[in-house]
Structure formats: C-alpha cells, structure tokens
Amino acid sequence: MREILKTLVEFRTTHQEENKKEFDKAFDFIISLIKDYVKGYKLIENNNYKSLILWKQEKPEIIYMCHLDVVPARDQDFIFREVRNKYLGRGVLDNKFAISALIETLRELKDKNINFGGIITSDEEIGGFNGANYVINKLKFLGKIFIVPDSGLNFSLETEAKGVLHLKIILKGKKAHGSRPWEGVNALDIFLQGYKRLRKIFPEYKKPTWKPTLNLGKISGGQATNQVCDYMAAFLDFRYPFGYKKEQFLTIVKKIFPKAKIQMIAEGSPIKTDLKNIYIKKWISIAEKILRRKIEFTKSYGATDARFLAKYKIPFIIMEPKGGNYHADNEWIDKNSLIQFKKILKSFLEQQ
C-alpha cells in the first residue's frame, strides 16, 4: 500500500486548469492495478469529470466509495514523506489512502467471488454533483450498504451528518450620490436589516451544536464609497440535522427577503445510518476485534458524498484511520492505522 499511496499523492489531482491531465494519469494508474482483480470496470465521464466504477459481481450489494481529487497544497505536500510512524502528503488521509486500501484488498481477494463494487470519483472536493451524484442518481449504481471512508476519524463510526443548503440572495436598490442617500435605496441596508432577523432565528453559536446553523460566507455590493449601493449579493450556508428539510429554510429566507432573487447554489440532505443493519453490526464487530477496543459513535457537522444516498435510505459505514491536518500543510496518516483499516475491510468482505 505504501508504494501505491506514494504514487497517488504525487498526482496533482486538484481542480486547477493546469492539472486536468493529472486525473487521466491517476485513473490510468489505478486501472492498471485493478483490472486483473475485478470482473469488470468502467471509466465514465459527466460534464468533464471522470469516475471509475468497478465490480467483482454484477449488481454488487456492498459498494465502496472514495475520491481522487484533493484541495490545493504547497509543492512539498505533493512529495510523499515518511516520518517515524506517519505518512505525509496531500491526500494521504483525504482521501487517497482509501484508494490504496481498495487496490490492496482487491489484490489480496483476487480469487474470491465477493459481492463487492467500488466507485472512485474526481469531484468530491467541489460538491460531488458530477461524480457520486451522477453515479448514484443517474446510473443507479446502488447496493445494500455503502462504505464511505471519508470521515469518522480514528475508527469512530459516523452515524449522522448534517445536511447543507447554500443560497445566493440578490437584492436591488436605487443609485444615488452618497451625500444624498435619501434619493436612493441602499440594497446593502435592506440585506443587513433582514440578516439581523435571520440571526435571531439562527444565532451565532460559540460552541459545537447539533442545532441548525447559519454562516454568512460572502457578501458583495456597491461600486464606490460615495454612491448608494443599488445591487448586492450574499451567500448563506445553512447546516441542519436529520429531521429538518431544506424547504423550511427556504421558506424563512423568502419571508424575510420578499423582494430578493433567491438562488439555490448547492444542497445535500442530512443522513442517518441504521445501526441495526446486519452489515453495520458485522463491520463494528470486525473492527472491534482488530482494534481491540470499542468503536465510538460520532456525528458530523460537515457533509460527504454519502449525502447522495439519503433518498434511497441506504445505510452507510463512514470510518477512516488515524490522521490529521485535513486540507492543511503536512496532512498525515498513521501507518499502522492504515494497515488496520485494510484488515478490517478485507475481513468484512471475506465474511460476506
């Protein structure tokens, strides 16, 4: 796995124009390693984003989903490094370890006719709409359980994750000279008045909370200091737990900003897995045996590609090894932890 992970890290699979060919090289590398260990595979493309689908059996029940893309990093972070008990480099944890573990598991189980398939996408870091969303909702590559090793740090099992709703609010006013504001209508003032009302409904929390939250991510408007602003745009980021629906937040925003143009930029449903599911119970049992400790359950404030499973009510296993520095300098993964993860995955598949 070490050499596979090393090679994967050195592919600069970020979403910068100059790195487009890196995805092609990376997929070619992955296919060269898995083609002899699977019954079939298919490299698909949607809106110029590629995804690799593979299977050991037709219509697999167990599907493993991970992603190849990473966020931008320093040049030195695309150089794989080994420091004592850690591997360092962009993507070692998020999420290229998962690809290396998949390849190694397929190799070790090459003679086993397991009911297993995989999805490797290339756009998770920018929303997943052309990767996981396309494969799940358009191609209907579905199973009875999904393994999504993209959260659940240090072998905690993520049981729930908040949903996400990104809205763009556009308001228009009337231009006037800054010295005669009564002759104009300031679009920024209209927004700020409404935003105060929003904040009363969704307060700014200073500690972690499982309640719905609101973040004002970006705001723009106006052309000059001495001019009344006649146009503004603001971007709102709502996060909400299972039991809420995006329509509730849209209704509130429309009521507060009745004259605004409101655009939905991105959305994803909250998800909750079924801990009574036979696959999940088996995964927990195997993990506890290999790790020699109890598995802790966690909830996530963020979202993964597992959110695209929500409408199908397909249970999921979200768990990953020990590591740190997501999206930061010197991203790392614990070497022994990576080996343990592969052992859990292999044992889980062998026992199906």
Side-chain angles (χ1 to χ4, degrees), residues 313-326:
K313 298 182 180 179
I314 297 175
F316 52 84
I317 297 166
I318 298 180
M319 178 183 285
E320 64 186 4
K322 182 180 179 181
N325 291 0
Y326 289 112

Side-chain angles (χ1 to χ4, degrees), residues 142-159:
L142 302 169
K144 292 185 177 180
I145 184 76
F146 267 67
I147 303 167
V148 188
D150 201 17
S151 191
L153 194 60
N154 196 15
F155 298 106
S156 59
L157 184 72
E158 187 174 294
T159 61

Side-chain angles (χ1 to χ4, degrees), residues 13 17 27 42 57 89 91 97 128 142 163 193 195 217 245 250 252 264 267 269 321:
T13 49
E17 188 67 26
F27 275 122
K42 196 172 189 179
Q57 283 187 19
F97 89 86
L142 302 169
Q193 289 166 13
Y195 186 68
K245 295 183 178 180
L250 277 167
I252 293 170
M264 188 164 61
E267 60 93 14
S269 299

Side-chain angles (χ1 to χ4, degrees), residues 6-23:
K6 177 180 182 295
T7 302
L8 288 172
V9 166
E10 292 171 358
F11 291 118
R12 295 186 178 228
T13 49
T14 64
H15 294 286
Q16 292 150 308
E17 188 67 26
E18 64 269 24
N19 289 334
K20 278 189 174 181
K21 291 184 179 179
E22 291 291 291
F23 286 95

